[in-house]
Amino acid sequence: GIRSSAMTIDGMIALAGEAQTFFFNPSTGQLVPVLDHGGKVIRYEHLSGSLMLGSGFNVEVYSFPEMVNQKTLLFSDTILDMHIQYSK
């Protein structure tokens, strides 16, 4: 099943499933698999155009829409959720 979703700047919806990650285009109804693994939580960061996929102890940062892994962040605690915050 789908665990998390994030709306991107171009109107696409990124979906983190249990075993795969997808892009859904609401205007066409097309669902496209983009990663062969899923995650617990997915977030889109509009300033950098990055998609973040969190699962287990990792947060993977991907360029959007290319889905090229930019970096993987390792944490000592399990990723349960992500909240993007900005400071002035």
Side-chain angles (χ1 to χ4, degrees):
I2 301 300
R3 294 179 167 184
S4 184
S5 65
M7 179 73 75
T8 66
I9 199 158
D10 65 355
M12 296 282 280
I13 300 171
L15 302 167
E18 292 177 22
Q20 284 185 297
T21 302
F22 304 90
F23 287 158
F24 176 68
N25 185 335
S27 63
T28 65
Q30 186 178 21
L31 184 67
V32 178
V34 292
L35 292 175
D36 62 359
H37 64 282
K40 181 166 180 71
V41 62
I42 195 164
R43 297 290 180 259
Y44 179 72
E45 200 289 302
H46 69 278
L47 293 179
S48 66
S50 297
L51 201 62
M52 294 174 232
L53 184 65
S55 182
F57 296 94
N58 301 329
V59 173
E60 298 170 335
V61 180
Y62 291 91
S63 59
F64 178 82
E66 303 84 10
M67 294 305 288
V68 174
N69 187 314
Q70 302 297 305
K71 61 181 139 187
T72 300
L73 307 169
L74 305 174
F75 294 89
S76 59
D77 291 320
T78 303
I79 305 299
L80 301 175
D81 202 355
M82 289 187 288
H83 300 274
I84 299 172
Q85 298 183 0
Y86 300 95
S87 60
K88 293 181 179 183

